[in-house]
Amino acid sequence: MGQELQCFPEEVLVAGAAHLEDEERVEEVVEEENLVQRGERELSLHPGTFIARGKEDLLVTKNLTPGETVYGEKRISSETPAQPGETDGELVPATKTEYRVWNPFRSKLAAGILGGIDSIFMRPGSKVLYLGAASGTSVSHVSDIVGPEGTVFAVEFSHRSGRDLINMATHRPNIIPIIEDARHPLKYRMLVSMVDCIFADVAQPDQARIVGMNAHLFLKTGGGVVVSIKANCIDSTAPPEQVFAREVVKLREEKMKPKEQLTLEPFERDHAMVACVYNKHD
């Protein structure tokens, strides 16, 4: 069971960048006292992610399955009061939206978002290939982000973690769990369509090659790749900075052009996240 549901008024939730595209809306948000201002190096929010303001700022995603938790995370509800309609003046009933708190100490992707990564290449409606899904903690939040129109193809090699992943996916129809070795993408080629982005957290010495093989089969040209790199899993004898630099070179060799690199501290030690754009024809 999740922790007790908390209620916050609508104005404490800050929408992702997709909701802030026009200049008038951006100015309105900056003027609003309870909302996060978006500056050059301010927290970069992404479509489908939100910040709940309170005693502590919390990264949240809109719960695809209201009333349910996945790993005991806190839930927050936002209420919109009843108000007259814009056209006919009839009263629009009050609505309540539920959000799930995303813990950056339990998710590399959440750590990257709070670390200020510019793009995670996923938004509502996206098709995402998630390599290294584990039991589905982060996958569930990606499921929230892409929403009912999107799909998450979640690949996990461990059968023990895979059982939890499959169980979670029974409540979330936009997740397709695949219990298979990501080194052999041909084994699940009949299950995965072309995707908009790949997120990888496989923590293997040949991680760049694994990501490359999956990208060549499933990723659209111009699609995004986000890779979480754990230095100790690649080479425990070299300084983390050297390991990260070598991995970036390997990603380039796999037709992935790095756009951004950041460390995941203070959430993860000796971890980096690299965001790339894939171009098969380079």
Side-chain angles (χ1 to χ4, degrees):
M1 295 293 293
Q3 298 182 32
E4 184 178 352
L5 189 66
Q6 295 186 355
C7 291
F8 285 77
E10 182 70 24
E11 62 267 17
V12 303
L13 290 170
V14 185
H19 304 285
L20 304 177
E21 290 175 352
D22 63 284
E23 292 183 3
E24 291 182 2
R25 175 63 180 147
V26 172
E27 291 174 1
E28 177 187 340
V29 167
V30 171
E31 291 172 0
E32 182 65 56
E33 186 177 57
N34 291 323
L35 300 186
V36 170
Q37 296 186 24
R38 301 175 65 242
E40 242 181 25
R41 296 308 302 166
E42 296 281 341
L43 176 65
S44 177
L45 297 173
H46 306 274
T49 67
F50 305 83
I51 291 292
R53 300 303 300 269
K55 290 182 180 179
E56 296 181 1
D57 293 348
L58 300 172
L59 178 65
V60 298
T61 55
K62 185 178 177 181
N63 194 355
L64 185 71
T65 56
E68 297 182 7
T69 64
V70 174
Y71 54 97
E73 69 278 14
K74 184 187 296 182
R75 292 175 292 137
I76 295 173
S77 88
S78 168
E79 296 184 16
T80 302
Q83 52 191 350
E86 294 183 1
T87 54
D88 53 16
E90 291 187 8
L91 196 66
V92 177
T95 59
K96 181 182 288 189
T97 305
E98 186 176 289
Y99 299 84
R100 300 166 55 231
V101 175
W102 197 356
N103 186 348
F105 290 97
R106 297 190 60 173
S107 169
K108 312 292 196 315
L109 184 54
I113 291 172
L114 290 177
I117 192 168
D118 285 338
S119 180
I120 57 174
F121 303 106
M122 57 185 78
R123 61 178 58 239
S126 292
K127 287 181 167 56
V128 179
L129 176 59
Y130 195 116
L131 305 177
S135 58
T137 297
S138 294
V139 170
S140 69
H141 288 283
V142 175
S143 163
D144 287 343
I145 290 172
V146 303
E149 303 301 319
T151 307
V152 185
F153 301 96
V155 180
E156 173 55 41
F157 182 54
S158 166
H159 285 263
R160 182 174 182 177
S161 296
R163 284 194 294 270
D164 294 333
L165 179 65
I166 291 170
N167 183 58
M168 185 266 292
T170 61
H171 300 270
R172 291 174 168 264
N174 66 352
I175 298 176
I176 298 177
I178 301 169
I179 313 307
E180 191 53 79
D181 189 344
R183 289 188 178 90
H184 304 290
L186 288 175
K187 291 186 177 181
Y188 47 86
R189 68 188 185 281
M190 302 302 291
L191 299 174
V192 181
S193 66
M194 294 300 289
V195 299
D196 301 297
C197 73
I198 293 176
F199 179 80
D201 181 20
V202 295
Q204 295 295 325
D206 58 341
Q207 176 168 272
R209 184 180 69 89
I210 293 170
V211 175
M213 288 190 297
N214 282 271
H216 302 329
L217 276 176
F218 305 120
L219 185 59
K220 298 175 181 177
T221 295
V225 180
V226 181
V227 183
S228 173
I229 302 171
K230 184 177 181 179
N232 288 342
C233 288
I234 308 293
D235 185 348
S236 59
T237 64
E241 294 75 16
Q242 289 185 15
V243 176
F244 301 149
R246 290 202 299 260
E247 289 302 295
V248 167
V249 171
K250 293 176 185 176
L251 290 170
R252 288 184 183 275
E253 293 171 352
E254 296 291 348
K255 311 294 186 184
M256 288 171 268
K257 184 177 181 180
K259 294 292 186 181
E260 186 180 9
Q261 177 182 328
L262 69 157
T263 67
L264 297 186
E265 294 184 1
F267 309 110
E268 296 284 353
R269 186 178 178 183
D270 296 337
H271 281 67
M273 185 162 285
V274 180
C276 311
V277 173
Y278 176 69
N279 192 336
K280 184 181 290 188
H281 307 297
D282 276 358

